[in-house]
């Protein structure tokens, strides 16, 4: 068994072993290129593969924010995905791959490793213990612990309509000066400023990237008061998947005033009018206010994940 770094030409082989190992979460070559090779933080030294008689049978992908722009942390690294083809499991291959990834982190002075909350290019927000119990046990055995457990949700839009109480609440908010509508070109900079002030940098980056791509202004809905953006919701902004909802948020000081509820329902209405049959997202806190809002709006939980973390100790030389 040979453990080595990624080499150009491995792409189709990696996709093949990935789809053998994770058939319910398979990928295409295009997605692999977009989310791995074109990630500005990707380095061949962070993607380790296991090779047996010329066949790739396993991999592990370690990522570091080399420019420290997105996360502003010089001690953080991520394992975004790993796996070993079924015929080669229980042979210690995953352990060997992890040892190389661990050394990669330590050589860059990264001592806190997370699985798998690497935005924006995570494939899943964490480990789905129901679908991959063996991988979950493996991470626990190797010193990872659960940091938090987000959930994915879906909502069918076929019979969706905005409830009358939401329409009345919108009228009340309008009397207070809060206007809900699709993003205007004059509001792009105010929106980016709002995101920079109120949320993690990933949300600002997500909106910038989406608007630089094919996203139309009508796919971002905002709440504004006196020309100030105080809330937003986006759909279709990730990988051009129109039914993928989010991100979505309201200014901290204004939460609990039904702005988020009205904004959510109006955005779902816009999605249905575009002909979309569902809305879904991968990540929210089930017990957080947003999670309760989604459930009351008719979203159902489809998957549960564990974001996991491990603190590395420097290797000691004998």
């Amino acid at each position: 068994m040979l453990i080595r770094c990624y080499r150009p030409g491995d792409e189709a082989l990696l996709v093949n072993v990935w789809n053998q190992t994770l058939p319910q979460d398979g990928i295409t070559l295009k997605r692999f290129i977009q989310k791995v090779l074109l990630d500005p933080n990707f380095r061949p030294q962070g993607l380790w593969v296991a090779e047996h008689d010329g066949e790739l049978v396993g991999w592990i992908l370690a990522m570091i924010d080399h420019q420290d722009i997105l996360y502003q942390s010089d001690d953080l690294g991520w394992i975004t995905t790993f796996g070993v083809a079924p015929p080669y499991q229980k042979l210690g291959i995953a352990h060997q791959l992890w040892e190389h990834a661990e050394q990669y982190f330590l050589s860059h002075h990264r001592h806190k490793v997370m699985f798998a909350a690497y935005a924006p290019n995570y494939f899943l927000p964490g480990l789905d213990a129901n679908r991959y119990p063996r991988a979950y046990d493996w991470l626990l055995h190797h010193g990872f612990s659960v940091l938090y457990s987000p959930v994915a949700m879906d909502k069918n839009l076929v019979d969706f309509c905005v409830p009358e109480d939401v329409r009345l609440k919108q009228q009340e908010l309008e009397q207070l000066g809060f206007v809900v509508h699709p993003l205007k070109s004059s509001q792009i900079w105010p929106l980016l400023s709002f995101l920079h002030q109120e949320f993690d940098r990933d949300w600002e980056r997500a909106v910038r990237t989406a608007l630089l791509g094919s996203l139309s202004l009508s796919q971002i809905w905002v709440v504004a008061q006196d020309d100030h953006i105080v809330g937003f919701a986006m759909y279709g902004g990730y990988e051009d998947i129109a039914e993928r909802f989010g991100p979505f948020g309201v200014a901290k000081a204004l939460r609990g005033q039904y702005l988020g509820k009205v904004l959510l329902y109006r955005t779902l209405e816009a999605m249905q009018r575009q002909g979309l049959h569902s809305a879904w997202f991968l990540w929210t806190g089930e017990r957080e206010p947003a999670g309760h809002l989604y459930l009351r709006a008719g979203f159902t939980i489809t998957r549960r994940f564990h974001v996991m973390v491990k603190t590395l100790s420097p290797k000691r030389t004998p």
Side-chain angles (χ1 to χ4, degrees):
M1 189 66 60
L2 172 65
I3 307 296
R4 62 169 176 81
C5 292
Y6 158 85
R7 294 195 298 244
D10 285 339
E11 302 80 28
L13 301 174
L14 277 161
V15 170
N16 181 56
V17 66
W18 182 310
N19 291 337
Q20 290 179 44
T21 308
L22 310 173
Q24 291 178 286
D25 290 296
I27 61 169
T28 62
L29 180 59
K30 179 180 179 180
R31 288 192 75 212
F32 179 83
I33 292 170
Q34 290 176 335
K35 296 175 75 68
V36 179
L37 298 186
L38 294 181
D39 188 306
N41 288 318
F42 173 73
R43 302 291 187 276
Q45 297 83 0
L47 175 52
W48 290 88
V49 301
E51 182 179 318
H52 181 258
D53 290 339
E55 178 186 4
L56 264 60
V57 299
W59 78 95
I60 191 168
L61 178 56
M63 299 297 292
I64 291 171
D65 186 3
H66 288 278
Q67 300 175 13
D68 296 326
I69 293 176
L70 184 57
Y71 293 93
Q72 294 184 306
S73 173
D74 59 0
D75 195 42
L76 189 59
W78 297 264
I79 296 294
T80 62
T81 178
F82 72 95
V84 175
Y88 296 90
Q89 293 175 3
K90 296 185 177 181
L91 299 177
I93 298 172
H95 178 73
Q96 294 180 60
L97 290 165
W98 163 247
E99 285 190 326
H100 285 80
E102 183 180 25
Q103 187 55 47
Y104 176 70
F105 289 128
L106 290 173
S107 68
H108 289 84
H109 309 289
R110 308 299 168 118
H111 297 94
K112 183 179 178 181
V113 178
M114 298 181 68
F115 182 92
Y118 171 70
N121 285 329
Y122 62 86
F123 292 92
L124 297 173
L127 200 289
D128 183 340
N130 292 323
R131 187 169 289 184
Y132 306 112
R134 184 178 296 173
Y136 178 61
D137 291 341
W138 186 91
L139 286 170
L140 292 175
H141 178 74
H142 282 76
F144 284 81
S145 60
V146 175
L147 186 62
Y148 52 92
S149 300
V151 296
M153 294 187 184
D154 287 49
K155 177 176 175 58
N156 190 295
L157 297 178
V158 173
D159 296 318
F160 176 81
C161 65
V162 177
E164 184 62 23
D165 68 301
V166 175
R167 295 190 183 278
L168 292 174
K169 182 58 66 175
Q170 182 175 352
Q171 293 175 10
E172 293 176 15
L173 292 172
E174 288 173 348
Q175 292 175 1
L176 297 174
F178 294 103
V179 182
V180 181
H181 57 74
L183 182 69
K184 303 174 184 177
S185 59
S186 61
Q187 295 174 316
I188 292 175
W189 177 247
L191 173 59
L192 294 174
S193 299
F194 163 73
L195 295 171
H196 185 79
Q197 295 170 7
E198 292 281 341
F199 300 103
D200 292 338
R201 288 192 174 191
D202 177 53
W203 283 18
E204 180 186 352
R205 181 219 54 79
V207 170
R208 285 180 181 274
T209 301
L211 289 174
L212 282 169
S214 59
L215 194 78
S216 69
L217 296 181
S218 65
Q219 290 174 263
I220 299 178
W221 279 67
V222 296
V223 183
Q225 184 185 43
D226 298 328
D227 295 326
H228 296 291
I229 303 295
V230 297
F232 86 111
M234 181 171 75
Y235 67 94
Y238 290 103
E239 301 183 68
D240 293 324
I241 301 173
E243 295 186 338
R244 184 166 175 176
F245 177 84
F248 157 57
V250 172
K252 298 179 183 68
L254 294 173
R255 292 172 189 172
Q257 300 187 36
Y258 297 96
L259 291 172
K261 184 174 183 178
V262 171
L263 181 59
L264 172 62
Y265 276 89
R266 290 302 308 276
T267 307
L268 294 176
E269 180 183 57
M271 295 177 70
Q272 187 209 45
R273 289 179 175 179
Q274 190 179 325
L276 304 181
H277 280 216
S278 66
W280 63 270
F281 56 84
L282 281 175
W283 193 330
T284 194
E286 181 179 0
R287 295 179 176 85
E288 294 177 1
H292 294 304
L293 174 59
Y294 287 128
L295 291 171
R296 289 195 297 268
F299 280 82
T300 57
I301 295 172
T302 51
R303 296 181 73 175
R304 299 178 186 274
F305 303 98
H306 296 309
V307 175
M308 306 184 73
V309 63
K310 178 179 180 177
T311 300
L312 305 182
S313 300
K315 295 291 186 180
R316 294 183 178 180
T317 302

